[in-house]
């Protein structure tokens, strides 16, 4: 059984078109190799907490970046964010909200829960693609995360 | 000669009969006394003869008197005078005395003959008269000192006044004498009063009474007056003596007292008319109730007197309340409050009550006066208002809940709009781009142009959605109220809009703007929309002139933005502030038609007005006011 390479980016997106466009933008920037996609909040939490345990993976060795849509079926984006930031083993993973909502209350709640970035998806694809690519480059390549030492 | 001797003897006998006779020698020794001398001196003749006259000296006369007597007779002259002598028994008697000296050939007195007449009775009467005269004078002096005295003749003309009469009447004596008493008549007393006075004294009877007179200076004074008529031999009054005492101060005090007593009585009557009054003694027993008390309590007076106030106790008030009431009034303090009482028929009434304790000499309340006003109707209305308020409160809560629910729905609606409508637009735009990227080379030019049109339409719709959301958010967003520096705000907005513009000529004229009170973020949106419009519609001018200033609109500052741009036809001004309403075609000027609608909504929410003046190709001016000026 070959070792699965570490997932670098968890993309949580329920809209298939947005998902395809996001993956297209990531591909263009050569950032799509180690991407895991969850289609709702429950799946995302399952991937982060459930599967990791099943696969014997340490939670600390989670993805290097999570791109999270705000409005998701089952468990919404804010709840997913709260769970990630509440758990000491996952709280250091950078989370970027990718959403269509400019509502102040959403922004405030997200920042209060410890979100690392909040991006309003532009309607314009060029803008959208640029945003996705810049985020990927910044958080995956430029940003230096703290080391997660084994216990 | 014989005949003449006889005559002398007769004369002597007559003298002896009539007078007290004594003869003394030059040394003063008595050589003869007649019977009358013995009788009046109460000495026997033998006791007198050979004695000196000092025997009967009373010691009444001073030595000079006696010396003058002896000098006179020793010189051979007759002495006359009245002498007071003392009889043997110590009693005194007065004698009118004539002493005649008889001379020898040498001219020296050889003997003295003293002839006396008893004048004791006359002298005593004189002494008495003198004493009573003195007494009368003393009395007159005292009266003068004390009283106001005037005497008038039978016709009422003043014949005498004393100093006090002048002092009180402020007339000089000469102004009064000969005048009638009408001079000081005050006109206060009725004619009958004056007539009765005259009738009394004319009949010779004393009149007593109080008279109000007028002094010379017009001031009035009261005198307690006694008029005594003195009668002539015919029994008619020959003069009247009037003795008066100044009682002005007493009368004034009486008048004041009467007035204040009258006032108190009036007040009491008014209070009785107006209020519910009861008096209780120190033990709380009712000692007085007025009619209104009986009426409201529905008890007869006799059912209440002697009773405790508990008779009308409704049981409504807690014990502490009643205890506090009693504690207050027992300490001598006034209690004021509202009480609910029960009438005899069991119905309740409310009274606004003031209880005033009246203290006895020991400082403890001796009685309590309670004054009440019926406030039953007011209380009933208060209760109704309370109920209505509660009802209203309840309704408000309900409505608020409904409103909140509606707001929540609206919020989730705009949330959906924001989130869900934009996603497909992004797909339209994104996949058009993907087609262009992936298959562009295989498409004809027209196909690529059409795909571009699809993209720009999708993007345009995105802007529309954003504007719509902004606009709808304005209605529910709560307003901050802060002092806003419009000068700084306008500078910031112009910078945001690209000032100074490198690609066009724009002249901005900005006046000094007074500060405003309002929501800074929203007011900034107003300036942003107005200024960006001004820049947009003056895009074809060179230079574009943007004027920012403040005018006066009924005492309020009216801020304005003026441009020299394309303007518009005032016939369409009504459409200007509607959502998605445009006066220009998109090819001329881009825009969604929401900007001015947003401006109007914000200004209205600040209690202000917005209006426009324009003409085609002659520029436009937009004014707005706000509700109130900021506190300085």
């Amino acid at each position: 059984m070959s070792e699965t390479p570490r997932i670098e980016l968890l993309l949580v997106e329920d809209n298939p078109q947005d998902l395809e466009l996001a993956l297209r933008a990531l591909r263009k920037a050569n950032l799509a190799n180690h991407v895991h996609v969850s289609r709702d909040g429950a799946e995302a939490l399952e991937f982060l907490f459930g599967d990791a345990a099943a696969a014997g993976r340490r939670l600390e060795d989670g993805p290097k970046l999570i791109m999270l849509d705000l409005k998701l079926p089952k468990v919404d984006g804010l709840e997913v964010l709260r769970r990630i930031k509440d758990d000491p083993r996952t709280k250091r993973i950078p989370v970027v909200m990718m959403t269509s909502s400019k509502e102040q209350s959403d922004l405030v709640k997200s920042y209060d829960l410890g979100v690392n970035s909040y991006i309003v998806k532009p309607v314009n694809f060029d803008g959208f693609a640029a945003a996705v690519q810049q985020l990927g480059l910044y958080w995956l390549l430029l940003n230096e995360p703290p080391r997660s030492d084994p216990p | 000669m014989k005949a003449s001797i006889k005559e002398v003897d007769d004369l002597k006998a007559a003298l002896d009969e009539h007078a007290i006779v004594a003869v003394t020698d030059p040394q003063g020794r008595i050589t003869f006394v007649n019977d009358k001398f013995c009788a009046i001196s109460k000495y026997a003749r033998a006791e007198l003869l050979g004695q000196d006259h000092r025997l009967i000296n009373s010691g009444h006369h001073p030595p000079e008197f006696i010396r003058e007597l002896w000098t006179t007779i020793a010189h051979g002259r007759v002495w006359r005078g009245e002498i007071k002598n003392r009889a043997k028994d110590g009693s005194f008697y007065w004698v009118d005395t004539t002493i005649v000296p008889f001379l020898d050939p040498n001219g020296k007195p050889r003997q003295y003959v003293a002839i006396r007449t008893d004048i004791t009775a006359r002298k005593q009467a004189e002494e008495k008269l003198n004493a009573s005269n003195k007494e009368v004078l003393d009395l007159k002096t005292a009266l003068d000192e004390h009283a106001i005295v005037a005497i008038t003749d039978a016709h009422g003309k003043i014949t005498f006044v004393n100093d006090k009469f002048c002092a009180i009447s402020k007339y000089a004596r000469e102004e009064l004498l000969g005048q009638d008493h009408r001079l000081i008549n005050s006109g206060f007393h009725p004619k009958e009063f004056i007539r009765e006075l005259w009738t009394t004294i004319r009949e010779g009877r004393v009149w007593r009474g109080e008279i109000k007179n007028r002094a010379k200076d017009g001031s009035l004074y009261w005198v307690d007056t006694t008029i005594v008529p003195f009668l002539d031999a015919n029994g008619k009054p020959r003069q009247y003596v009037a003795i008066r005492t100044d009682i002005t101060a007493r009368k004034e005090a009486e008048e004041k007292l009467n007035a204040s007593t009258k006032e108190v009585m009036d007040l009491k009557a008014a209070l009785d008319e107006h209020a519910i009054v009861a008096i209780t003694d120190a033990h709380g027993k009712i000692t007085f109730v007025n009619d209104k008390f009986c009426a409201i309590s529905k008890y007869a007076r006799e059912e209440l007197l002697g009773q405790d106030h508990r008779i009308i106790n409704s049981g409504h008030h807690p014990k502490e309340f009643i205890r506090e009431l009693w504690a207050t009034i027992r300490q001598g303090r006034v209690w004021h409050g509202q009480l609910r009482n029960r009438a005899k028929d069991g119905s309740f009434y409310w009274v606004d009550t003031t209880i005033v304790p009246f203290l006895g000499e020991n400082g403890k309340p001796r009685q309590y006066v309670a004054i009440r006003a019926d406030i039953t109707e007011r209380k009933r209305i208060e209760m109704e208002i309370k109920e209505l308020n509660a009802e209203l409160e309840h309704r408000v809560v309900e409505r608020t809940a409904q409103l909140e629910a509606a707001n929540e729905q609206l919020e989730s609606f705009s949330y959906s709009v924001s989130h869900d409508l934009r996603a497909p637009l992004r797909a339209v735009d994104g996949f058009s781009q993907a087609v262009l990227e992936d298959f562009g080379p295989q498409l004809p030019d027209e196909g690529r142009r059409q795909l571009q049109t699809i993209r720009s339409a999708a993007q345009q719709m995105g802007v529309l959605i954003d504007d719509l959301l902004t606009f709808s958010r304005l209605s529910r967003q709560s307003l901050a109220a802060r002092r806003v520096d419009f000068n700084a705000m306008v500078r910031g907005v112009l910078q945001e809009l690209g000032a100074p513009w490198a690609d066009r000529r724009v002249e901005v004229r900005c006046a000094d703007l007074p500060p405003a009170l309002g929501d800074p973020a929203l007011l900034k949106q107003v300036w942003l929309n107005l200024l960006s419009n001004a820049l947009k519609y003056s895009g074809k001018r060179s230079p574009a002139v943007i004027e920012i200033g403040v005018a006066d609109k009924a005492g309020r500052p009216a801020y304005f933005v003026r441009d020299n741009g394309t303007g518009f036809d005032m016939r369409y001004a009504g459409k200007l502030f509607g959502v998605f309403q445009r006066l220009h075609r998109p090819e001329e000027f881009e825009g969604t038609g929401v900007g001015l609608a947003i401006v109007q909504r914000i200004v209205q929410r600040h209690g202000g007005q917005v209006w426009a003046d324009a003409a085609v190709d002659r520029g436009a001016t937009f004014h707005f006011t706000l509700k109130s000026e900021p506190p300085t």
Side-chain angles (χ1 to χ4, degrees):
Chain A
M1 181 175 159
S2 66
E3 197 187 330
T4 43
R6 184 183 171 187
I7 294 299
E8 291 199 318
L9 172 62
L10 171 63
L11 185 58
V12 189
E13 177 59 79
D14 64 320
N15 183 317
Q17 289 141 9
D18 274 0
L19 176 60
E20 191 179 336
L21 291 173
L23 289 172
R24 181 184 173 94
L26 289 169
R27 238 190 343 267
K28 279 191 170 180
N30 292 317
L31 292 165
N33 295 334
H34 307 289
V35 175
H36 179 88
V37 173
S38 296
R39 298 299 304 280
D40 60 44
E43 253 187 56
L45 290 173
E46 187 62 26
F47 171 76
L48 283 169
F49 298 97
D51 291 359
R57 209 165 18 91
R58 291 197 309 138
L59 287 183
E60 290 85 342
D61 300 329
K64 288 167 82 175
L65 174 66
I66 300 168
M67 287 187 178
L68 186 61
D69 194 3
L70 195 77
K71 201 181 162 221
L72 292 168
K74 296 179 184 169
V75 181
D76 78 3
L78 285 170
E79 176 61 14
V80 175
L81 174 64
R82 195 183 62 74
R83 295 277 296 274
I84 293 167
K85 293 298 182 187
D86 267 5
D87 195 309
R89 295 164 302 180
T90 53
K91 70 175 181 190
R92 289 176 185 150
I93 302 170
V95 178
V96 176
M97 277 291 180
M98 295 282 292
T99 175
S100 303
S101 171
K102 278 189 198 171
E103 287 291 318
Q104 273 301 309
S105 62
D106 287 338
L107 276 148
V108 169
K109 278 183 210 154
S110 299
Y111 278 102
D112 284 353
L113 289 170
V115 81
N116 300 79
S117 259
Y118 190 105
I119 305 298
V120 178
K121 295 177 193 169
V123 166
N124 178 324
F125 174 71
D126 297 333
F128 177 70
V132 170
Q133 288 165 4
Q134 281 166 20
L135 278 170
L137 287 168
Y138 174 79
W139 287 107
L140 296 176
L141 300 177
L142 279 173
N143 190 50
E144 188 69 41
R147 239 177 338 153
S148 59
D149 294 322
Chain B
M1 183 75 184
K2 214 173 183 175
S4 80
I5 287 169
K6 174 86 174 81
E7 204 165 302
V8 168
D9 281 349
D10 286 354
L11 277 172
K12 187 180 172 289
L15 190 64
D16 257 5
E17 272 307 299
H18 173 73
I20 301 153
V21 182
V23 181
T24 54
D25 65 14
Q27 284 73 44
R29 275 189 302 272
I30 299 168
T31 57
F32 170 82
V33 290
N34 72 346
D35 292 346
K36 284 184 92 72
F37 191 104
C38 295
I40 198 165
S41 71
K42 297 194 175 85
Y43 281 102
R45 182 166 285 108
E47 290 175 302
L48 292 162
L49 293 178
Q51 291 298 316
D52 198 280
H53 254 93
R54 266 170 269 177
L55 185 69
I56 52 168
N57 183 3
S58 68
H60 172 78
H61 304 284
E64 297 78 41
F65 178 87
I66 304 295
R67 209 176 293 138
E68 189 268 339
L69 184 162
W70 278 107
T71 307
T72 303
I73 59 174
H75 283 80
R77 286 180 275 124
V78 174
W79 185 88
R80 277 187 146 276
E82 292 176 350
I83 295 176
K84 190 181 190 179
N85 285 339
R86 188 172 56 215
K88 189 186 180 184
D89 65 356
S91 66
F92 294 103
Y93 62 92
W94 277 92
V95 280
D96 183 48
T97 304
T98 303
I99 305 175
V100 183
F102 287 86
L103 309 179
D104 63 11
N106 303 328
K108 297 275 180 208
R110 60 176 167 86
Q111 67 175 10
Y112 302 106
V113 177
I115 298 165
R116 296 172 170 88
T117 312
D118 183 2
I119 56 163
T120 306
R122 195 194 88 206
K123 280 308 249 191
Q124 277 172 355
E126 265 178 30
E127 269 170 16
K128 261 188 204 153
L129 194 62
N130 276 342
S132 89
N133 259 347
K134 172 117 177 45
E135 205 163 291
V136 166
L137 275 172
D138 286 354
L139 279 173
K140 187 175 173 298
T141 307
L143 191 64
D144 254 7
E145 276 303 305
H146 171 74
I148 300 153
V149 181
I151 302 176
T152 54
D153 64 16
H155 312 292
K157 292 267 178 291
I158 298 169
T159 56
F160 170 85
V161 289
N162 71 347
D163 291 344
K164 287 181 88 72
F165 191 103
C166 296
I168 196 166
S169 69
K170 301 199 173 81
Y171 283 101
R173 183 166 281 109
E174 52 277 18
E175 290 177 299
L176 292 161
L177 294 178
Q179 291 298 313
D180 199 280
H181 256 92
R182 267 171 271 178
L183 187 66
I184 52 167
N185 182 7
S186 67
F188 172 81
H189 302 284
K191 281 208 174 104
E192 300 73 43
F193 177 87
I194 304 292
R195 206 176 297 140
E196 184 269 341
L197 184 161
W198 276 106
T199 307
T200 304
I201 59 176
R202 275 204 191 108
E203 286 171 2
R205 285 181 288 128
V206 172
W207 185 90
R208 279 189 141 273
E210 293 175 349
I211 298 179
K212 190 179 197 175
N213 285 337
R214 188 173 49 215
K216 188 183 183 185
D217 66 356
S219 65
L220 300 169
Y221 61 94
W222 276 94
V223 279
D224 182 49
T225 304
T226 303
I227 305 178
V228 183
F230 287 86
L231 309 181
D232 61 14
N234 306 323
K236 297 273 177 210
R238 60 180 163 85
Q239 69 175 8
Y240 303 103
V241 177
I243 296 165
R244 297 170 168 90
T245 312
D246 183 2
I247 54 164
T248 307
R250 195 193 86 203
K251 286 303 257 189
E252 274 173 3
E254 269 178 24
E255 272 166 15
K256 262 186 206 155
L257 192 65
N258 280 342
S260 79
T261 303
K262 171 108 177 53
E263 208 162 288
V264 166
M265 295 301 290
D266 287 353
L267 280 174
K268 188 175 172 298
L271 189 65
D272 255 8
E273 275 302 303
H274 172 75
I276 301 155
V277 182
I279 302 177
T280 54
D281 64 16
H283 311 292
K285 292 266 176 289
I286 298 170
T287 56
F288 169 85
V289 291
N290 71 348
D291 292 344
K292 286 182 89 75
F293 191 104
C294 297
I296 196 167
S297 69
K298 304 202 171 78
Y299 282 101
R301 182 166 282 109
E302 51 276 14
E303 290 177 298
L304 290 164
L305 295 178
Q307 291 298 312
D308 200 279
H309 257 93
R310 267 170 270 179
I311 194 172
I312 52 166
N313 182 4
S314 68
H316 171 81
H317 303 285
K319 282 212 174 100
E320 298 75 47
F321 180 84
I322 303 292
R323 210 175 295 140
E324 186 268 339
L325 184 163
W326 276 104
T328 304
I329 59 174
R330 280 212 184 100
Q331 287 169 23
R333 286 183 289 127
V334 172
W335 185 87
H336 186 101
Q338 300 182 347
L339 288 168
R340 186 192 196 220
N341 287 336
R342 188 174 54 214
K344 191 183 180 184
D345 65 357
S347 64
F348 294 107
Y349 61 94
W350 276 94
V351 278
D352 186 61
T353 304
T354 302
I355 305 179
V356 184
F358 286 84
L359 306 182
E361 278 174 14
N362 56 358
K364 302 259 187 235
R366 62 183 161 83
Q367 68 174 6
Y368 304 102
V369 176
I371 296 166
R372 299 169 166 88
D374 183 2
I375 53 163
T376 309
E377 182 63 9
R378 197 179 88 199
K379 276 289 183 183
R380 192 183 61 73
I381 290 167
E382 269 177 23
M383 285 298 285
E384 260 173 36
I385 289 172
K386 245 184 219 170
E387 274 167 27
L388 277 175
N389 267 342
E391 167 72 17
L392 213 59
E393 196 82 8
H394 179 68
R395 266 194 241 168
V396 166
V397 167
E398 251 177 26
R399 288 279 158 82
T400 307
Q402 285 172 0
L403 211 61
E404 273 169 4
N407 244 341
E408 247 166 62
Q409 278 176 5
L410 195 68
E411 219 149 309
S412 77
F413 170 73
S414 29
Y415 194 88
S416 303
V417 168
S418 144
H419 191 272
D420 298 346
L421 290 190
R422 277 146 60 101
L425 282 176
R426 195 158 44 246
V428 170
D429 184 56
F431 285 99
S432 303
Q433 177 66 14
V435 168
L436 282 170
E437 281 174 15
D438 296 355
F439 309 106
Q442 290 143 268
L443 282 174
D445 287 353
E446 180 60 13
R448 282 201 296 277
R449 191 194 64 78
Q450 285 169 2
L451 275 172
Q452 280 300 346
T453 305
I454 292 172
R455 286 197 67 194
S456 67
Q459 283 167 23
Q460 175 67 12
M461 189 158 175
V463 175
L464 279 174
I465 289 169
D466 281 350
D467 284 354
L468 199 58
L469 279 175
T470 307
F471 183 71
S472 79
R473 212 179 293 129
L474 281 176
S475 307
R476 46 202 170 91
Q477 199 171 326
S478 57
L479 290 184
R482 282 207 291 276
R483 193 173 187 275
V484 180
D485 178 0
F486 271 170
N487 293 313
M489 182 172 275
V490 166
R491 274 197 302 278
V493 168
L494 286 169
Q495 269 169 22
E496 253 178 67
L497 292 170
W501 297 265
D503 51 344
R504 54 183 287 204
R505 285 183 61 206
V506 181
E507 196 178 303
V508 177
R509 299 173 192 161
C510 191
D512 185 49
L513 304 173
L517 188 71
D519 188 297
L522 295 181
L523 292 176
K524 184 184 167 185
Q525 188 73 48
V526 169
W527 285 110
L528 187 67
N529 290 9
L530 292 179
L531 288 169
S532 68
N533 275 357
L535 283 165
K536 186 180 2 176
Y537 293 106
S538 62
K540 291 167 187 166
R541 298 279 189 270
S542 189
V545 178
I546 314 285
E547 207 180 324
I548 299 147
V550 63
D552 181 84
K553 169 81 171 176
R556 282 200 237 171
Y559 305 94
F560 66 82
V561 174
R562 179 174 297 139
D563 65 63
N564 63 343
T566 187
F568 56 86
D569 189 331
M570 281 298 281
R571 275 183 298 174
Y572 308 124
K575 287 181 142 190
L576 210 55
F577 298 101
V579 183
F580 296 138
Q581 295 287 347
R582 300 216 57 209
L583 300 185
H584 303 279
R585 287 191 301 278
E587 304 94 275
E588 290 179 304
F589 298 99
E590 44 181 42
T592 57
V594 181
L596 287 176
I598 287 173
V599 166
Q600 188 184 45
R601 183 64 60 90
I602 292 172
V603 167
Q604 281 173 350
R605 288 210 59 196
H606 280 81
Q609 284 176 288
V610 59
W611 65 97
D613 292 303
V616 176
D617 281 330
R618 307 256 295 271
T621 306
F622 286 85
H623 284 89
F624 70 92
T625 57
L626 300 173
K627 186 180 185 180
S628 53
E629 288 169 60
T632 49

